[in-house]
Amino acid sequence: MRELSYMEALREAMRQAMQKDDRVFLIGEDIGIYGGAFGVSAGLLDEFGPKRIIDTPISEAGIAGACIGAAVTGMRPIGEMQFSDFVVIAMEQLVMQGAKMRFMFGGKAEVPFVMRLAGGSGTGAAAQHSESLENWFVHVPGLKVVMPSSPYDAKGLLLAAIEDNNPIMFFEHKVLYKTKGPVPEEMYTIPLGQSHVVREGKDLTVVATSIMVSRALEAAEQLSKEGIELEIIDPRTLKPLDEKPIIESVIKTGKALIVHEAVKTGGFGGELTAVIMESEAFGYLDAPVKRLAGLDTPIPYNRNLEYHAVPQVENIVEEARKLVKGQY
Amino acid sequence: MPTSSKKEKLIEGVLPESKAHELLYKMVLTRAFEENAEEMYGLGKVHGTMHLSIGEEGVAAGAGPALRPSDYLLNTHRGHGHFLMWGGDLNRMMAEFMGKEAGYCRGRGGSMHIADVESNNLGAQGIVAGNLPISVGVGLSIQMRKTDQVVLTLFGDGAANEGAFHESLNMASIWNLPVIYLCENNQYAMSMAFERAFRVEQVSERAAAYGMKGLTVDGNDVIAVYKAVSEAAEQARKGAGPTLIEAITYRWKGHSKSDRQLYRTREEVKKWMEKDPIKRFAAKLDVDEAGLKEIEKKAKEEIRKAVEFADNSPEPDVNTILEGIYA
């Protein structure tokens, strides 16, 4: 199969969705001639024109509101938060309006928009441009939260998100944009709410999200040489969460390590831990469920500090090894 | 305004000549800092991104000296020049830019978040318009503490289209707060041209909506900015409330390191380069080309020493990564 970068896969998903459905349009800051801050929408202005690739002033609340208003009246917008950090300015519209509209109106309104957000650290962008805020939205009933970890998933999940009739927070990772992988040319969807067993193994269940999936895979290759086999599961959508493959895996391995970039306290790892503990997997656990996550700190500018603020391959190797060997 | 000895010549009747020469040097130093920054980025010596104010140095040069050391500064992401004009130490600034422990923010903040709280410099800002509501609080605090301080709040044309702009200017106006809103209109909010983002001709027109004084000045004219900020500060200190000043200028370089500048023409950039605030100010001070070359040489040497200082400064210790976090 041909290879595309994560960024190209996202662009292709948007292009195909816009070709297929006139109601789909893209709105955000510098998405037109600039091509998006990271180049995700490069070339789309030429193909679809300024009425469907809409550059906005720097007005995040306006972008979110425009998505909601257009969605509830029959369009299918894709909004872009240039850096996911900027979503804080759009919170009211997303949390108080977009997420609640369908429920408040007795289930009669449909609000089909996708908010794409460029998240994560690793680019030296410092404290206000590097956060991982996905779990805030997991806590809001009415929003779906998607986090693709590969080019294949990026395209399939984005197309599924565009087809969905509800507001969706679609968290991309800046460092993943240039990573490559096989992506089919045709349109395809990956259902929202379907976990993916990325690697099978018998010794430890690793649940990882976004960029941590590839880091976990790298860790698994290293540990395999020591005879330790990790089973890696990528939930792909944090909400709705497909719990079954995670629970089944923990029943098989008896141990679980959760890895995400977002800070540990109040992060999605706590939710996943509770999911495991409340399930029938509880009786099969022969070690505590462990979380490996970002330190409870804003992202530092200094390159070395930034590196150490979030889990890296060597941290996953170490934590996984300790868990498997009963050293917790 | 600063007092001067009777003998000293005043440039355009307002700015003492020696001060003016000091400002010219700092403008050249700002440009040298940023040219060096760009070079270091190219060589991989720094990571992340940076926002260069090359071509916009006149605004910082005019604004900084119009205020007192006891006043407050709320800076933007494109704020190297303002930092220097506020009295920033070049070595510690360079160290911060290079992520070193000796930097103003111990390498944690970087170019985009550089601050010096001790000198009432409340920091550069990574969120467009993020500093505007804070200025209301600083103004309120000044009023409550009954001091004669003022706060200078910087932002770009892009920030004027954030909701925070509206809330902030309105609150400062209804409470008569000592805030100077200085908009550096450099014609582009990243790739968004001013004409595409506004239906008004000038940002300063919006002042009327808040019942405050608004004016537009040539941001590449140091003295024009100096006069406007001085007047706004005087009004603010008297309790006459905030002013919105729009300084028209132009960003010669891209928005940040990822910018290919497809949204404007080379001719347009060239046209603005002819309005170079440094050359204009040098001419005003009768500094000829050879004189300017000398100044540039001196600035480059100071930059070289600052890089040496930063190079020799230690990296932050990884074991201190959680310092500064209390919850």
Side-chain angles (χ1 to χ4, degrees):
Chain A
M1 200 186 294
R2 94 193 146 140
E3 294 213 327
L4 284 187
S5 70
Y6 184 91
M7 181 193 304
E8 288 163 343
L10 291 165
R11 187 187 305 142
E12 186 167 274
M14 291 194 284
R15 176 182 291 125
Q16 289 176 341
M18 280 193 278
Q19 282 167 346
K20 186 183 161 196
D21 187 343
D22 284 344
R23 298 171 302 170
V24 179
F25 68 91
L26 182 59
I27 182 166
E29 293 158 3
D30 307 289
I31 58 165
I33 192 158
Y34 199 100
F38 299 95
V40 179
S41 56
L44 296 183
L45 177 68
D46 289 340
E47 189 172 345
F48 299 101
K51 293 225 161 96
R52 292 181 78 192
I53 305 294
I54 305 172
D55 262 342
T56 69
I58 307 181
S59 308
E60 292 80 10
I63 294 167
C67 285
I68 297 164
V72 77
T73 53
M75 303 301 285
R76 302 189 84 84
I78 305 169
E80 180 178 299
M81 289 288 133
Q82 189 166 84
F83 284 78
S84 72
D85 312 65
F86 304 167
V87 76
V88 296
I89 298 158
M91 285 303 266
E92 185 277 325
Q93 287 291 304
L94 293 167
V95 176
M96 292 299 145
Q97 312 301 335
K100 295 174 172 56
M101 208 171 249
R102 183 176 176 137
F103 171 82
M104 290 190 300
F105 299 170
K108 289 173 188 168
E110 285 185 346
V111 192
F113 73 88
V114 182
M115 187 60 73
R116 294 179 36 246
L117 311 98
S121 67
T123 65
Q128 293 175 338
H129 289 68
S130 303
E131 291 188 284
S132 300
L133 301 174
E134 64 276 5
N135 205 45
W136 289 8
F137 300 95
V138 173
H139 199 62
V140 178
L143 296 176
K144 296 186 180 182
V145 182
V146 184
M147 281 194 103
S149 66
S150 70
Y152 179 87
D153 286 0
K155 180 173 173 183
L157 289 169
L158 184 52
L159 283 170
I162 294 166
E163 278 183 9
D164 198 283
N165 281 337
N166 300 290
I168 288 163
M169 305 301 287
F170 194 92
F171 282 88
E172 300 161 9
H173 199 292
K174 299 196 278 285
V175 173
L176 288 177
Y177 277 140
K178 288 185 179 161
T179 59
K180 291 205 161 193
V183 179
E185 284 178 38
E186 69 275 11
M187 288 179 92
Y188 62 93
T189 57
I190 296 170
L192 306 183
Q194 202 175 82
S195 294
H196 178 211
V197 181
V198 183
R199 185 187 196 275
E200 289 187 20
K202 61 181 180 3
D203 297 315
L204 169 67
T205 301
V206 175
V207 186
T209 58
S210 190
I211 195 166
M212 292 303 155
V213 176
S214 46
R215 289 188 189 158
L217 278 167
E218 244 186 281
E221 290 313 306
Q222 290 184 29
L223 287 166
S224 184
K225 290 174 198 150
E226 301 173 20
I228 297 170
E229 297 300 339
L230 304 186
E231 178 143 299
I232 299 169
I233 302 179
D234 174 6
R236 294 197 291 206
T237 55
L238 308 195
K239 200 175 186 182
L241 176 67
D242 178 18
E243 303 174 356
K244 209 169 153 229
I246 298 167
I247 292 164
E248 281 172 356
S249 175
V250 178
I251 288 172
K252 181 171 87 176
T253 64
K255 299 179 191 72
L257 174 66
I258 295 152
V259 191
H260 59 63
E261 177 169 336
V263 295
K264 189 174 190 176
T265 305
F268 191 61
E271 182 60 32
L272 274 172
T273 304
V275 163
I276 294 168
M277 301 305 272
E278 288 177 342
S279 77
E280 62 268 36
F282 177 72
Y284 293 84
L285 282 170
D286 48 30
V289 177
K290 288 289 218 179
R291 291 175 293 165
L292 179 62
L295 297 179
D296 284 340
T297 170
I299 299 296
Y301 167 68
N302 173 273
R303 202 190 306 239
N304 197 32
L305 293 186
E306 181 185 31
Y307 182 86
H308 283 94
V310 303
Q312 302 295 341
V313 176
E314 58 269 27
N315 307 121
I316 302 174
V317 168
E318 192 186 341
E319 280 299 313
R321 192 191 283 133
K322 278 204 278 187
L323 249 181
V324 171
K325 294 191 173 169
Q327 301 161 342
Y328 35 83
Chain B
M1 279 186 220
T3 52
S4 59
S5 69
K6 277 174 193 164
K7 279 183 198 163
E8 194 170 1
K9 185 181 157 194
L10 292 176
I11 306 296
E12 288 194 23
V14 288
L15 191 67
E17 195 175 18
S18 60
K19 183 77 191 168
H21 281 279
E22 189 191 312
L23 293 179
L24 177 64
Y25 177 68
K26 282 193 178 177
M27 288 169 83
V28 174
L29 189 63
T30 302
R31 188 167 293 181
F33 179 89
E34 296 196 330
E35 283 170 350
N36 175 74
E38 202 176 22
E39 200 182 309
M40 286 203 292
Y41 184 87
L43 294 170
K45 277 188 87 171
V46 289
H47 77 156
T49 191
M50 69 195 72
H51 304 89
L52 305 178
S53 66
I54 295 177
E56 305 179 20
E57 296 93 341
V59 185
L67 298 174
R68 302 171 183 169
S70 55
D71 292 330
Y72 292 96
L73 175 70
L74 286 162
N75 207 346
T76 73
H77 57 286
R78 204 176 302 286
H80 299 139
H82 289 283
F83 200 93
L84 276 172
M85 295 298 169
W86 203 258
D89 173 72
L90 190 69
N91 285 349
R92 293 181 66 197
M93 202 176 148
M94 187 66 78
E96 187 58 36
F97 179 70
M98 289 169 70
K100 297 301 187 78
E101 185 68 31
Y104 272 106
C105 308
R106 304 178 62 203
R108 272 72 170 172
S111 155
M112 201 158 40
H113 305 301
I114 189 164
D116 179 23
V117 179
E118 281 168 27
S119 73
N120 289 354
N121 175 342
L122 301 179
Q125 180 57 253
I127 301 297
V128 170
N131 54 356
L132 291 170
I134 298 170
S135 68
V136 173
V138 176
L140 209 49
S141 155
I142 292 168
Q143 209 174 54
M144 287 169 163
R145 288 184 287 109
K146 298 188 173 67
T147 69
D148 65 351
Q149 294 161 291
V150 301
V151 51
L152 174 67
T153 307
L154 298 157
F155 55 100
D157 43 300
N161 285 327
E162 286 277 19
F165 171 87
H166 168 72
E167 296 181 27
S168 172
L169 269 72
N170 188 54
M171 287 166 94
S173 183
I174 57 173
W175 295 330
N176 252 354
L177 301 179
V179 186
I180 302 161
Y181 290 102
L182 178 52
C183 176
E184 291 184 295
N185 181 351
N186 66 10
Q187 314 305 319
Y188 290 93
M190 205 159 149
S191 68
M192 180 59 109
F194 182 82
E195 297 75 25
R196 293 175 63 211
F198 292 80
R199 277 287 184 227
V200 288
E201 299 270 317
Q202 297 180 322
V203 174
S204 63
E205 286 177 46
R206 291 189 176 172
Y210 309 108
M212 72 168 75
K213 190 182 171 194
L215 69 157
T216 295
V217 298
D218 179 351
N220 286 6
D221 178 347
V222 176
I223 302 294
V225 176
Y226 178 77
K227 281 181 181 166
V229 176
S230 299
E231 166 70 16
E234 202 181 315
Q235 291 300 311
R237 284 189 222 285
K238 279 200 300 204
T243 304
L244 170 59
I245 302 166
E246 175 188 23
I248 303 290
T249 186
Y250 194 82
R251 156 164 66 69
W252 291 9
K253 299 281 178 171
H255 161 76
S256 68
K257 296 317 296 173
S258 66
D259 189 350
R260 291 179 297 147
Q261 303 184 59
L262 300 171
Y263 49 84
R264 62 184 184 185
T265 62
R266 276 172 198 277
E267 290 69 42
E268 184 188 291
V269 179
K270 255 173 113 176
K271 201 187 87 198
W272 274 92
M273 285 174 81
E274 283 160 20
K275 303 179 193 172
D276 184 352
I278 291 180
K279 282 189 180 150
R280 281 176 64 185
F281 198 47
K284 192 161 280 184
L285 301 183
D286 294 324
V287 174
D288 62 11
E289 212 170 304
L292 200 52
K293 280 261 173 334
E294 270 308 300
I295 295 171
E296 280 166 5
K297 213 173 124 190
K298 192 177 152 204
K300 279 183 183 158
E301 178 56 16
E302 205 183 334
I303 294 291
R304 193 191 60 76
K305 283 186 183 151
V307 173
E308 200 174 286
F309 169 85
D311 266 334
N312 292 326
S313 307
E315 287 275 323
D317 180 351
V318 173
N319 294 316
T320 65
I321 193 166
L322 292 178
E323 285 182 11
I325 312 275
Y326 46 85

